[in-house]
Amino acid sequence: MQTMTVSVVTPDGTVYEGEVEMVSARAQSGELGILPRHIPLVAPLDIGAVRLKNGSNVQLVAVSGGFIEVRPDKVTILAEAAELPSDIDVARARAAKERAERRISEARQDEIDFKRAQLALRRAVNRLGVTEK
Ligand code: ATP
């Protein structure tokens, strides 16, 4: 199988770098499946799990938005925040989820706090999701 280099980079540093056979990521326009020699593209990412596949090994990374840049031999994910499952503090993510749910139930739907809480809830659910897989 051909491989490509993948880097997942955040403002705090590099979270992942390695050779993989396939990258799956959730762009704002929909799910992307990237194989080596893909045509170049740049796309904004949604909150979601990035899947890095190498043979039978699949590495998940929780990504909280950003951009994916695809070149034929290299994929770079520039994430606002990104964590490997082993680096996720589950208690913190559960607390963030509960806090966001409380704010959603208390805020009016047209308030900025409501939208902010919805995004916080999605980040927390995404983090919990990658630790469960
Ligand atoms: P919280 O309310 O718990 O801070 P958040 O979704 O607002 O959650 P972010 O602003 O997305 O947090 O991230 C801030 C920093 O904290 C980033 O470096 C991110 O990787 C890290 N981070 C956030 N939540 C967790 C977690 N549950 N486990 C490990 N790192 C986390």
Side-chain angles (χ1 to χ4, degrees):
M1 261 311 249
Q2 280 191 331
T3 62
M4 60 199 146
T5 307
V6 179
S7 304
V8 181
V9 181
T10 75
D12 297 329
T14 300
V15 172
Y16 178 96
E17 191 152 55
E19 292 288 313
V20 308
E21 291 167 357
M22 185 175 176
V23 177
S24 307
R26 193 185 299 161
Q28 287 179 13
S29 55
E31 198 69 28
L32 288 177
I34 311 285
L35 295 169
R37 306 202 173 281
H38 196 282
I39 52 162
L41 74 84
V42 175
L45 286 178
D46 204 351
I47 296 166
V50 168
R51 237 170 138 257
L52 305 170
K53 189 169 174 294
N54 222 339
S56 58
N57 182 33
V58 176
Q59 173 70 62
L60 295 177
V61 188
V63 170
S64 302
F67 286 90
I68 183 167
E69 183 197 26
V70 179
R71 285 187 269 142
D73 58 348
K74 180 152 174 60
V75 173
T76 307
I77 291 172
L78 293 167
E80 286 162 30
E83 304 89 31
L84 298 175
S86 56
D87 291 330
I88 290 175
D89 178 339
V90 171
R92 175 175 167 180
R94 284 202 185 118
K97 177 172 178 281
E98 281 168 22
R99 199 164 53 243
E101 284 169 341
R102 198 169 57 244
R103 286 186 180 147
I104 286 168
S105 70
E106 287 166 359
R108 289 209 331 264
Q109 289 193 17
D110 56 347
E111 284 176 11
I112 187 82
D113 281 353
F114 184 85
K115 292 199 170 61
R116 206 176 277 158
Q118 276 185 322
L119 290 173
L121 178 59
R122 289 183 57 207
R123 290 195 298 274
V125 168
N126 182 41
R127 287 181 176 120
L128 292 171
V130 301
T131 64
E132 283 159 9
K133 279 173 191 146

